[in-house]
């Protein structure tokens, strides 16, 4: 499997897990449901940022990087330099 295929597979796997978490969130107590919702929201933001960075920036960052750093360092700097 090539590196590009591996990344696509990982993205699909992650999307599937996010979908599962969203489906079970309604069964959790209120505080836990809010935490799960934040986690799934972050994962969806990561997917969107990966797509934007692939087109306008760089994807040289780990999935657990602080969102503001992703936006500033791996997307914004590229956009501002154009």
């Amino acid at each position: 499997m090539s590196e590009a295929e591996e990344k696509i597979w990982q993205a699909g796997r992650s999307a599937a897990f996010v979908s599962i978490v969203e489906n079970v969130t309604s069964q959790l107590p209120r505080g836990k449901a809010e935490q799960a919702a934040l986690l799934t929201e972050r994962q969806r933001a990561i997917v969107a940022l990966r797509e934007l960075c692939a087109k306008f920036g760089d994807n040289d960052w780990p999935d657990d990087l602080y969102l503001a750093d992703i936006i500033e360092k791996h997307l914004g700097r590229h956009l501002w330099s154009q």
Side-chain angles (χ1 to χ4, degrees), residues 26-43:
S26 63
Q27 303 301 316
L28 297 173
R30 182 164 175 82
K32 298 292 183 185
E34 291 168 356
Q35 289 175 345
L38 288 173
L39 288 173
T40 57
E41 180 179 20
R42 178 184 169 79
Q43 288 303 318

Side-chain angles (χ1 to χ4, degrees), residues 5-75:
E5 290 171 327
E6 176 73 20
K7 287 183 179 183
I8 291 169
W9 184 84
Q10 288 289 348
R13 183 175 181 261
S14 178
F17 285 132
V18 168
S19 180
I20 291 167
V21 170
E22 286 177 331
N23 286 327
V24 299
T25 298
S26 63
Q27 303 301 316
L28 297 173
R30 182 164 175 82
K32 298 292 183 185
E34 291 168 356
Q35 289 175 345
L38 288 173
L39 288 173
T40 57
E41 180 179 20
R42 178 184 169 79
Q43 288 303 318
R44 294 202 183 277
I46 293 294
V47 169
L49 285 167
R50 286 275 181 211
E51 291 174 5
L52 288 169
C53 286
K55 186 166 184 166
F56 302 108
D58 72 79
N59 270 317
D60 189 25
W61 45 274
D63 285 347
D64 61 350
L65 188 62
Y66 185 59
L67 289 176
D69 285 342
I70 296 168
I71 295 166
E72 178 189 344
K73 297 174 182 174
H74 300 279
L75 182 60

